[in-house]
Each structure stands twice: as C-alpha cells, then as structure tokens.
C-alpha cells in the first residue's frame, strides 16, 4: 500500500482480492471491508517508529535473516553500497532489526496474497517530505523488504495500490537504470503492476521508466462540493 491519491486504497485492495479469487488465484481469506483491513494492519505495526516492541515482533508477517541480507547487500554495486551506508550505517542497519539476527516486516498473509505497507524512506518529523528526495538512499530495511518479498515470502508479482509510493523515486538515473540505481536493486526482476490515477501521466511514466511498472489507469473519483470546515 502506497500513498493514496484519487483512489480509495483499502476498498480497492478488497476489490482486488475478490477479483483475484474470482479469476482462480488462491486467496484463503478476505477481510469484510477496507476499514477492517486497515484495522487489522494497524493492529500489527505500521512504521510509526524505527523500532519494535516485543509484542509487535510476535505479529510480524515475516522476517529475513540479517546474514542473508548482508550477503546480498555485499554483492551490490559499490556506489549503491556507499550511498546507503553513508546515511544508514553498515548493514543490516537498526530499523526493525531484532536481536541482531532478523529483519522483520509487517503485513497480513491471506494465503496466496500478502497485503502489506511499503516501508518509509526515512523517519522523523516529515516522512512524507522524503517521497521525492532525489539523493536520499533508502534504509537497509527498505531494500531488505523487497528481497524478502521475492526470496522469503516468494511473491510471483507485486502490486502497488495507491498513487504514489516511493520506489520509483529512489536515487538513480531517470531511465535505462544501472546496477547502481536504487529502484533496480530493490525491485529486481519481480513483475510489477501499478493501478494509477489517469490524470497524472507524468508520475505514471516515472513508474514505467524507473521500475518497469505495468501501469493500469483508473478514472478520477466523482466530484463533490468541499464546502467549509473547522475555522473556515
């Protein structure tokens, strides 16, 4: 789940789950509605802080061994390694690393489908301000999250719901990415589908060029009067 603009993200996820099951994909359980989905996600952990309580750790959707991540990270382009470690320290970092042994991740495993929340690019007073930062590398946990989706949970494909997330804005070239570009290192070769609001072709193109996204456009929500509120 990314930052939703022009799309009711929780409800859209529920619709997507029903569509997958109707098409013959395995979905063992579907929450009743979008509110129930969000309440279930929030009951686990959703990146309010870079550390976990012991109770939150027991509710993790999965974990990646720190040694496994360190071996993967050590094989990445030296420039990319330098950029990450210069801001976040040596791997595996300290964001959601439990006991120095495992990097843990939130989400709800519905059997054949995992619903989870994209990790933040940073923490602090203005995490949304990091969305478009052109030179801010992601934490180790961010890179480990996509490695876990691929090699740990075993995803056949990734669907980002909500325009827009942060993957396509990570540091690197504008197109024809190299091994030193962070979107390419994070996503790897996982197929990637992206429902995207139709009136923002510029940022949709960013996702196509920098994360090999298959963009599925959707219409704007119905217009309604905003009226006034609060002090107004």
């Amino acid at each position: 789940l990314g930052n939703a603009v022009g799309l009711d993200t929780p409800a859209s996820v529920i619709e997507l789950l029903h569509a997958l099951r109707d098409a013959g994909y395995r979905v063992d359980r579907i929450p009743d509605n979008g509110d129930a989905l969000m309440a279930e996600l929030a009951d686990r952990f959703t990146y309010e802080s870079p550390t976990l309580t012991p109770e939150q750790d027991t509710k993790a959707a999965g974990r990646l061994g720190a040694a496994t991540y360190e071996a993967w990270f050590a094989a990445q382009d030296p420039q990319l390694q330098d950029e990450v470690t210069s801001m976040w320290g040596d791997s595996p970092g300290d964001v959601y690393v439990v006991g120095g042994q495992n990097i843990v991740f939130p989400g709800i495993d519905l059997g054949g489908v995992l619903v989870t929340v994209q990790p933040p690019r940073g923490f602090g007073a203005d995490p949304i301000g990091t969305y478009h930062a052109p030179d801010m590398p992601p934490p180790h946990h961010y890179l480990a999250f996509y490695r876990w989706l691929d090699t740990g949970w075993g995803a056949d494909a990734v669907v980002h719901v909500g325009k827009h997330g942060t993957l396509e804005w990570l540091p690197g070239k504008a197109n024809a990415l190299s091994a030193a570009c962070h979107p390419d290192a994070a996503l790897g070769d996982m197929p990637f589908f992206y429902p995207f609001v139709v009136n923002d072709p510029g940022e949709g193109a960013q996702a196509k060029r920098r994360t090999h996204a298959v963009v599925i456009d959707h219409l704007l929500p119905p217009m309604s009067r905003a009226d006034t509120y609060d002090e107004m």
Side-chain angles (χ1 to χ4, degrees), residues 79-136:
Q79 177 184 330
L80 183 143
Q81 293 185 52
D82 290 344
E83 290 171 353
V84 174
T85 56
S86 66
M87 175 164 284
W88 301 104
D90 293 335
S91 65
D94 54 11
V95 176
Y96 288 175
V97 177
V98 177
Q101 301 296 315
N102 291 292
I103 310 170
V104 302
F105 310 100
I108 307 170
D109 192 330
L110 300 174
V113 177
L114 176 81
V115 179
T116 185
V117 180
Q118 187 180 53
R121 287 183 61 179
F123 296 86
D126 186 22
I128 293 178
T130 68
Y131 275 24
H132 298 88
D135 56 355
M136 181 180 177

Side-chain angles (χ1 to χ4, degrees), residues 1-226:
L1 301 179
N3 174 40
V5 177
L7 180 69
D8 185 351
T9 299
S12 298
V13 172
I14 297 298
E15 292 178 7
L16 174 61
L17 293 172
H18 281 287
L20 286 170
R21 189 162 66 182
D22 291 346
Y25 291 91
R26 176 191 164 202
V27 185
D28 294 343
R29 179 174 69 87
I30 300 178
D32 292 337
N33 50 51
D35 290 341
L37 173 70
M38 295 306 294
E40 196 170 341
L41 281 170
D43 185 53
R44 288 158 171 77
F45 54 92
T46 53
Y47 302 116
E48 287 88 353
S49 70
T51 58
L52 293 176
T53 66
E55 180 184 5
Q56 287 174 321
D57 178 39
T58 66
K59 297 179 178 180
R63 54 198 71 230
L64 183 71
T68 300
Y69 171 75
E70 289 173 346
W72 174 84
F73 184 72
Q76 300 309 299
D77 186 276
Q79 177 184 330
L80 183 143
Q81 293 185 52
D82 290 344
E83 290 171 353
V84 174
T85 56
S86 66
M87 175 164 284
W88 301 104
D90 293 335
S91 65
D94 54 11
V95 176
Y96 288 175
V97 177
V98 177
Q101 301 296 315
N102 291 292
I103 310 170
V104 302
F105 310 100
I108 307 170
D109 192 330
L110 300 174
V113 177
L114 176 81
V115 179
T116 185
V117 180
Q118 187 180 53
R121 287 183 61 179
F123 296 86
D126 186 22
I128 293 178
T130 68
Y131 275 24
H132 298 88
D135 56 355
M136 181 180 177
H140 290 287
H141 179 273
Y142 192 108
L143 297 172
F145 171 76
Y146 283 94
R147 289 303 89 229
W148 170 70
L149 287 181
D150 187 8
T151 63
W153 194 80
D156 294 309
V158 173
V159 180
H160 281 189
V161 183
K163 173 255 155 198
H164 58 74
T166 58
L167 180 65
E168 61 267 29
W169 301 96
L170 298 181
K173 296 194 295 180
N175 49 39
L177 273 61
S178 71
C181 298
H182 295 260
D184 190 70
L187 187 59
D189 60 2
M190 284 190 291
F192 178 29
F193 302 93
Y194 208 158
F196 213 89
V197 66
V198 73
N199 72 335
D200 193 359
E203 292 187 317
Q206 178 94 345
K208 289 172 66 70
R209 291 171 179 170
R210 305 194 74 237
T211 56
H212 64 251
V214 176
V215 172
I216 305 169
D217 287 313
H218 63 84
L219 295 176
L220 296 170
M223 302 295 289
S224 63
R225 290 184 61 86

